[in-house]
């Protein structure tokens, strides 16, 4: 019955593709559509939610609305998507445009007024249908490099307006703008022993399989000999004919003796699915080597909606006197396919290579609450914090919590509490729970205080300690304007930095009035544009206040002169 349901689910998924309008939306750019990232691509802690379109390696390319609609949401952030515009269309879908340099015309005016009304650079606005109406092809913004963008490009998405489910743009006919006749590239296939008793090719550790190209264009791996439960993983990327970028694979499907076993394809998914990328990949290998191996099995089933599997969850049980053929098919949206066949047989030979030793003194069960305490430090993991049970190392030495390491993925936040009576009440306001990275650098975590207890909710394993930050942020200007005329300058720019808890807020004032400073997290610079119209004729007094996450503040003041004539 489960197998029949599996087949039906895949059939429904195929039919669902025809529900999306193919000729309704036009491209958001007038330049050729070249991808630097595709839908579903594996990224740190998330699947890529749309297309990254190249913008000729520069900013300022006109971005157009892909159809009639209205601006339903605007979000300006220093990280993430940076400057983003959402347009809701009458056919039930919303298009999203991110990392923008600036909006244009009426949209820009609306945003500018909101900045000054809220007295904040970071804003999120939800608009009514009649406030900012746009037409298909209308220029809505200029492309940029804002937020967490690593270079100039346009991040573009389609979402279902009611559910906010993200949808592959190729389903809307965008495939006609991209030429792709290349097969996905499979660079590695691994086999995993899935319990302490199983050995694969006399090893209790994951093994890289050798692949040989066959005359028909498929691949054949060396034989897998095992004596228990095993699973497979694959590293695969896809290339199109134009961009040269490594993109994610659209579809992966496995078969055991010709029957579908485990698979997924990137048509649509929800934001709740995003973090399950850490369960899908071999997370420990990724953290150690930066290689993303996509696991084609689940030892502890997780709720990633795109996965379709039989009742084995992709786990292969190798039994005596039976041989099997396991096949992996990796394909792109255009039907280009790479296939790997793996012969499997039973072998009861004793393992030569034992399982890798894990330093641990506790065992964590994923489906129950777990609480650990030592030396006035406590850690509480609610049920469901992790994806799989694991052996965990938990130690407290010299006021540092050693909480295993970051090779085990964390799905949801857990709480760390640390008790200390060595701080005065005044000092407590400057104390926070800091994570410590491999280079010894400390990172800030929002920390609550109750008497001598400090609490923080975090989302990664590793080292933690109590840190004190009494150093205020720094503010500097590359070239002083004190007492000078700056009539030809278009902007004022300052650099800000905080080596302790990090910057929480910044505000600028010109002649006592709040002014907009835009923050660039890549350069840590804030910029005010004189075109805002706040600057006065003649003398102007500038004041900038920067506050860090524990309340230390710095004030920068200067007087300059400017003529508007």
């Amino acid at each position: 019955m489960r197998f029949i349901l599996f087949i039906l689910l895949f059939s429904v998924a195929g039919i669902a593709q025809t529900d999306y309008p193919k000729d309704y939306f036009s491209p958001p750019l007038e330049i050729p559509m070249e991808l630097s990232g595709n839908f579903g691509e594996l990224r740190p802690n998330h699947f890529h939610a749309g297309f990254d379109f190249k913008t000729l390696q520069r900013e300022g390319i006109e971005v157009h609305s892909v159809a009639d609609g209205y601006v339903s949401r605007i979000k300006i952030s220093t990280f993430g998507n940076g400057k983003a515009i959402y347009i809701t269309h009458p056919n039930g879908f919303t298009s999203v445009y991110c990392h923008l340099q600036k909006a244009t015309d009426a949209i820009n005016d609306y945003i500018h007024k909101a900045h000054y009304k809220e007295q904040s650079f970071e804003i999120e606005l939800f608009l009514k249908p009649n406030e900012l109406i746009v037409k298909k092809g209308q220029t809505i913004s200029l492309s940029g490099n804002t937020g967490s963008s690593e270079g100039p490009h346009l991040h573009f998405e389609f979402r279902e307006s009611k559910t906010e489910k993200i949808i592959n743009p190729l389903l809307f006919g965008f495939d006609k703008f991209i030429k792709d006749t290349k097969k996905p590239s499979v660079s590695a296939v691994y086999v995993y022993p899935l319990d302490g008793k199983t050995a694969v090719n006399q090893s209790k550790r994951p093994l890289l399989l050798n692949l040989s190209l066959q005359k028909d264009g498929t691949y054949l791996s060396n034989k897998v000999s095992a004596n228990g439960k095993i699973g497979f993983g694959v590293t695969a990327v896809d290339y199109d004919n134009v961009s040269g970028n490594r993109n994610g694979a659209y579809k992966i499907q496995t078969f055991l003796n010709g029957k579908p076993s485990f698979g997924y394809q990137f048509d649509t998914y929800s934001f709740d699915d995003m973090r399950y990328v850490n369960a899908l990949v071999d997370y420990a290998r990724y953290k150690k080597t930066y290689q993303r191996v996509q696991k084609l099995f689940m030892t502890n089933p997780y709720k990633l909606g795109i996965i379709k599997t039989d009742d084995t969850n992709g786990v292969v049980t190798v039994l005596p006197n039976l041989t099997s053929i396991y096949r992996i098919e990796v394909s792109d949206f255009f039907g280009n396919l790479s296939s790997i066949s793996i012969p499997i047989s039973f072998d009861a030979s004793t393992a030569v290579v034992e399982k890798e030793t894990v330093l641990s003194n506790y065992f964590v069960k994923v489906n129950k609450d777990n609480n650990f305490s030592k030396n006035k430090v406590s850690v509480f993991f609610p049920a469901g914090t992790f994806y799989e049970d694991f052996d965990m190392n938990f130690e407290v030495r010299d006021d540092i919590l050693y909480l295993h390491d970051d090779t085990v993925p964390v799905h949801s936040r857990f709480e760390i509490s640390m008790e200390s009576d060595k701080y005065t009440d005044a000092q407590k306001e400057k104390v926070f729970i800091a994570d410590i990275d491999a280079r010894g650098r400390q990172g800030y975590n929002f920390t609550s205080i109750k008497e001598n207890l400090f609490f923080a909710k975090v989302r990664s394993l590793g080292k933690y300690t109590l840190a004190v930050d009494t150093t205020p942020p720094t503010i500097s200007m590359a070239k002083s304007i004190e007492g000078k005329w700056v009539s030809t300058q278009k902007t004022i720019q300052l650099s800000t930095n905080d080596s302790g808890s990090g910057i929480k807020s910044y505000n600028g004032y010109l002649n006592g009035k709040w002014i907009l400073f835009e923050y660039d997290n890549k350069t840590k610079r804030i910029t005010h544009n004189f075109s805002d119209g706040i600057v006065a004729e003649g003398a102007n007094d500038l004041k900038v206040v920067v506050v860090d996450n524990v309340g230390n503040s710095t004030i920068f003041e200067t007087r300059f002169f400017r003529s508007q004539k």
Side-chain angles (χ1 to χ4, degrees):
M1 182 66 183
R2 179 79 179 267
F3 178 73
I4 296 173
L5 177 61
F6 171 75
I7 296 296
L8 287 174
L9 286 170
F10 264 91
S11 300
V12 171
I15 295 171
Q17 293 186 19
T18 61
D19 294 338
Y20 300 102
K22 300 294 190 294
D23 299 309
Y24 187 89
F25 297 106
S26 61
L29 302 169
E30 290 183 347
I31 59 177
M33 299 288 97
E34 291 190 26
L35 294 179
S36 59
N38 70 337
F39 186 82
E41 191 171 284
L42 310 181
R43 298 284 180 90
N45 298 318
H46 70 286
F47 300 106
H48 192 229
F51 278 177
D52 284 345
F53 288 118
K54 295 183 178 182
T55 55
L56 307 178
Q57 298 182 329
R58 62 184 176 90
E59 300 182 43
I61 303 294
E62 289 188 352
V63 177
H64 305 282
S65 175
V66 296
D68 291 355
Y70 72 95
V71 177
S72 54
R73 182 183 176 193
I74 296 168
K75 187 173 183 180
I76 312 292
S77 175
T78 55
F79 295 95
N81 286 330
K83 297 181 179 180
I85 294 174
Y86 301 67
I87 297 177
T88 295
H89 307 285
N91 65 345
F93 299 102
T94 295
S95 55
V96 186
Y97 315 75
C98 305
H99 305 307
L100 306 173
Q101 183 189 77
K102 63 177 294 185
T104 54
D105 304 325
I107 303 174
N108 188 57
D109 293 340
Y110 190 98
I111 294 171
H112 187 262
K113 290 177 181 177
H115 282 308
Y116 275 90
K117 180 181 179 181
E118 298 190 17
Q119 294 194 354
S120 175
F121 171 59
E122 292 195 276
I123 54 176
E124 185 170 16
L125 312 170
F126 295 91
L127 288 73
K128 297 177 181 178
N130 61 349
E131 289 188 84
L132 283 176
I133 297 171
V134 296
K135 293 294 184 182
K136 184 174 184 177
Q138 177 181 328
T139 301
I140 59 168
S141 67
L142 301 178
S143 68
N145 185 30
T146 56
S148 299
S149 169
E150 296 180 355
H153 73 280
L154 172 68
H155 174 87
F156 175 80
E157 299 177 16
F158 279 119
R159 300 184 187 180
E160 190 175 67
S161 299
K162 287 185 178 179
T163 65
E164 286 221 8
K165 274 199 166 185
I166 318 152
I167 305 167
N168 193 331
L170 293 175
L171 296 173
F172 293 92
F174 273 45
D175 54 324
K176 62 177 172 283
F177 306 123
I178 299 167
K179 186 175 182 180
D180 183 357
T181 59
K182 297 181 178 182
K183 293 181 180 180
S185 173
V186 176
S187 59
V189 175
Y190 286 86
V191 58
Y192 293 80
L194 298 184
D195 57 48
K197 298 178 182 179
T198 299
V200 178
N201 295 356
Q202 296 185 299
S203 174
K204 291 187 176 182
R205 300 184 185 185
L207 289 178
L208 176 66
L209 299 178
N210 295 318
L211 304 180
S212 57
L213 181 63
Q214 305 300 293
K215 289 183 179 180
D216 62 359
T218 64
Y219 288 87
L220 178 67
S221 91
N222 58 302
K223 185 170 71 172
V224 169
S225 299
N227 58 1
K229 295 183 183 298
I230 62 173
F232 292 89
V234 63
T235 297
V237 294
D238 189 37
Y239 297 88
D240 60 39
N241 292 26
V242 180
S243 68
N245 282 77
R246 293 188 306 169
N247 295 319
Y250 167 66
K251 179 180 179 181
I252 298 181
Q253 178 61 54
T254 69
F255 302 84
L256 183 62
N257 298 325
K259 294 182 179 180
S261 174
F262 185 97
Y264 47 88
Q265 68 185 46
F266 288 101
D267 288 327
T268 178
Y269 51 88
S270 70
F271 281 97
D272 290 339
D273 289 334
M274 284 292 201
R275 199 168 177 88
Y276 285 114
V277 67
N278 294 332
L280 181 67
V281 302
D282 182 342
Y283 189 82
R285 185 176 298 276
Y286 166 65
K287 280 295 183 176
K288 293 173 182 177
T289 68
Y290 296 105
Q291 180 188 31
R292 288 189 176 97
V293 179
Q294 300 176 59
K295 295 188 296 185
L296 306 175
F297 61 91
M298 296 185 292
T299 53
N300 184 51
Y302 49 90
K303 298 177 181 179
L304 176 55
I306 61 172
I307 290 178
K308 303 295 183 292
T309 180
D310 61 10
D311 57 6
T312 71
N313 292 314
V315 175
V316 178
T317 302
V318 186
L319 300 172
N321 304 318
L322 292 176
T323 59
S324 300
I325 294 292
Y326 184 87
R327 189 171 80 253
I328 303 171
E329 291 185 352
V330 183
S331 55
D332 62 25
F333 187 87
F334 300 86
N336 305 303
L337 182 145
S338 294
S339 178
I340 307 100
S341 293
I342 305 169
I344 304 173
S345 64
F346 181 83
D347 181 10
S349 300
T350 303
V352 175
V353 180
E354 291 296 325
K355 188 177 180 181
E356 187 175 0
T357 303
V358 177
L359 179 65
S360 66
N361 48 12
Y362 295 95
F363 186 70
V364 175
K365 298 284 288 183
V366 65
N367 293 321
K368 62 174 288 187
D369 293 347
N370 295 267
N371 194 61
F372 305 94
S373 297
K374 188 175 183 179
N375 297 346
K376 298 184 178 181
V377 175
S378 296
V379 177
F380 174 66
F381 300 124
T385 299
F386 303 99
Y387 303 109
E388 296 178 349
D389 301 344
F390 71 102
D391 294 301
M392 185 188 75
N393 181 41
F394 174 87
E395 293 289 346
V396 180
R397 300 191 306 270
D398 301 323
D399 297 326
I400 296 176
L401 164 64
Y402 295 84
L403 189 58
H404 204 70
D405 58 54
D406 66 353
T407 58
V408 175
V410 179
H411 185 72
S412 53
R413 294 187 181 276
F414 60 91
E415 185 175 82
I416 295 175
S417 63
M418 295 182 168
E419 183 178 1
S420 177
D421 58 5
K422 68 179 182 180
Y423 302 108
T424 66
D425 288 344
Q427 289 173 327
K428 287 178 185 177
E429 297 178 0
K430 309 298 181 184
V431 176
F432 62 95
I433 293 178
D435 53 84
I436 307 172
D437 68 13
R439 297 182 181 180
R441 297 174 300 188
Q442 295 183 347
Y444 173 81
N445 296 281
F446 177 78
T447 303
S448 300
I449 305 169
K450 185 178 181 181
E451 296 180 350
N452 291 329
L453 274 175
F454 300 84
F455 305 87
K457 290 190 175 181
V458 298
R459 214 172 189 180
S460 63
L461 301 178
K463 293 193 291 186
Y464 291 89
T465 191
L466 288 178
V468 182
D469 178 12
T470 58
T471 305
T474 61
I475 309 173
S476 62
M477 185 174 282
K479 190 175 181 181
S480 175
I481 59 173
E482 176 65 34
K484 296 179 181 178
W485 286 86
V486 294
S487 302
T488 59
Q489 287 186 203
K490 294 182 178 180
T491 62
I492 297 177
Q493 192 172 84
L494 298 98
S495 296
T496 64
N497 194 32
D498 188 85
S499 58
S501 58
I503 292 172
K504 179 180 181 180
S505 67
Y506 62 90
N507 283 284
Y509 304 88
L510 198 55
N511 305 318
K513 294 181 180 179
W514 185 90
I515 57 172
L516 173 63
F517 271 98
E518 296 199 7
Y519 180 76
D520 182 354
N521 73 73
K522 302 176 185 66
T523 62
K524 300 187 185 303
R525 295 193 184 110
I526 58 174
T527 303
H528 172 70
N529 198 310
F530 284 129
S531 64
D532 283 4
I534 310 298
V535 66
E537 182 72 20
N540 286 269
D541 293 313
L542 174 67
K543 179 181 179 181
V544 177
V545 182
V546 178
V547 182
D548 68 18
N549 279 297
V550 295
N552 300 306
S553 64
T554 298
I555 298 176
F556 174 92
E557 294 182 293
T558 190
R559 167 172 279 205
F560 64 90
F561 298 87
R562 182 176 173 86
S563 175
Q564 315 300 312
K565 297 177 180 178

